[in-house]
Amino acid sequence: MGTEPTRSVTVHVISDSLGDTACEMVLAAAGQFPEGSIRIARLPKVSDIGQVERYIAPCIASGEPIAVFYTIVDPGLRDNLAFTLQHLGVPSVDLLGSALNTISDLLGMDPAGTPGTIHRTDERYFHRIEAMEYFVEHDDGRGAEDLSDADIVLLGVSRTSKTPLSMYLAFQGYKVANIPLAHGMEPPSSIYAVDPMRLFGLLSTTDVIASIRDSRLGDNMTRAVASSYADPEAIAHELEEARALMKRLGCFVVRTDNKAIEESAAEIIGHLEAVQEARAKRRNR
């Protein structure tokens, strides 16, 4: 953010597993404040309240401001922890209790109470690894001769976030291929065989692309060799050709300018799921 923190505080993550989920939540919240204002310490694999009391006592004795974020699946231990932290006057956030209770009420059954199930090495884990391997083999036009196994195919001119978006979607378990579009170059014929539901065109503005490309050119020699790469007029022609191709293919178009990777990914996944659901309803009529 560019501003220096006026103070630095410690958030303690307490979990009966590794605490990764709680750390991600703290980091997400900390991103809204000046860099360096939040430190994270964690106490993982908690099985009894005594561990917490021994851990938290010196933290309180130091007199420094602290807070606790916790993910505990065992209801008894969770209630014990909430009571202890309240008694000690330590601000705390229960990241799992409300979610477990709400889902339990919806399903009419008790949760399993097994710590760390989100990180189990199960079928989902191997599916994600497979998706990551597919992304590596199909990044930036590689492996484009066969896209039949792709869940998602991204098309776009250079610097429209194809690779980082592909990587993020692969981490979510989607097999993603991305195809670069360039002036005067025919795209691989395989894209015409891909179900339009799985085709996504990435677009940005001329100014944004030109700015990114210009920063990547570096020295004057590189600029001389690739003079049109960051030229706004040349980029405008590239985008015009890309739009025409996307329209011809029936792509769902996603704007990536001034948008976080997570936002673009959510838009893609939302559209894909909506089309799949609509098709499923039509089949079941």
Side-chain angles (χ1 to χ4, degrees):
M1 289 189 176
T3 57
E4 291 296 321
T6 56
R7 65 188 301 199
S8 179
V9 299
T10 300
V11 171
H12 295 270
V13 165
I14 295 177
S15 176
D16 49 12
S17 183
L18 299 178
D20 290 343
T21 302
C23 282
E24 288 175 9
M25 287 295 296
V26 174
L27 288 171
Q32 302 298 316
F33 300 93
E35 187 175 350
S37 57
I38 300 294
R39 298 186 303 269
I40 298 177
R42 70 168 91 185
L43 176 64
K45 298 290 184 180
V46 170
S47 58
D48 65 79
I49 200 65
Q51 291 173 267
V52 177
E53 291 172 334
R54 291 188 294 273
Y55 171 82
I56 211 75
C59 303
I60 296 172
S62 71
E64 294 182 3
I66 64 169
V68 170
F69 280 50
Y70 59 94
T71 50
I72 304 290
V73 298
D74 179 79
L77 181 57
R78 188 169 64 245
D79 290 345
N80 231 341
L81 178 58
F83 176 81
T84 299
L85 293 172
Q86 185 177 16
H87 177 71
L88 294 171
V90 177
S92 64
V93 180
D94 177 4
L95 293 171
L96 208 52
S98 295
L100 285 170
N101 292 336
T102 299
I103 294 174
S104 177
D105 290 343
L106 281 172
L107 295 175
M109 64 174 66
D110 294 329
T114 307
T117 51
I118 193 172
H119 300 295
R120 286 182 304 182
T121 306
D122 58 8
E123 187 177 342
R124 289 172 300 172
Y125 171 83
F126 290 111
H127 182 70
R128 184 185 298 171
I129 295 298
E130 188 179 349
M132 291 297 292
E133 290 173 347
Y134 187 91
F135 151 68
V136 171
E137 294 166 359
H138 295 79
D139 181 36
D140 201 29
R142 286 194 292 271
E145 62 279 356
D146 182 10
L147 301 173
S148 57
D149 289 334
D151 298 314
I152 294 169
V153 178
L154 305 180
L155 306 170
V157 304
S158 174
R159 304 306 166 192
T160 49
S161 301
K162 294 187 300 299
T163 292
L165 186 51
S166 296
M167 185 182 298
Y168 182 88
L169 287 165
F171 191 72
Q172 306 304 310
Y174 293 92
K175 291 182 179 178
V176 186
N178 70 75
I179 308 295
L181 303 179
H183 174 64
M185 288 183 61
E186 277 296 314
S189 59
S190 56
I191 65 170
Y192 295 98
V194 177
D195 186 336
M197 174 186 77
R198 305 183 187 281
L199 288 175
F200 294 85
L202 307 182
L203 288 178
S204 183
T205 67
T206 299
D207 290 343
V208 168
I209 294 174
S211 176
I212 297 172
R213 290 186 182 183
D214 186 69
S215 67
R216 299 297 178 99
L217 280 176
D219 57 40
N220 291 331
M221 184 177 294
T222 306
R223 291 176 185 276
V225 174
S227 57
S228 65
Y229 181 65
D231 176 58
E233 188 174 342
I235 293 170
H237 285 307
E238 282 185 62
L239 288 172
E240 187 177 345
E241 289 179 2
R243 287 190 194 94
L245 176 65
M246 291 171 191
K247 184 176 181 180
R248 196 159 72 245
L249 291 169
C251 294
F252 180 78
V253 174
V254 177
R255 297 298 302 251
T256 61
D257 46 302
N258 301 316
K259 192 183 290 183
I261 292 298
E262 294 86 351
E263 291 179 89
S264 298
E267 191 173 345
I268 289 170
I269 293 170
H271 176 77
L272 186 63
E273 290 179 346
V275 174
Q276 289 173 330
E277 185 179 348
R279 287 185 177 182
K281 285 181 178 177
R282 285 199 295 270
R283 284 195 300 268
N284 294 330
R285 281 177 182 172

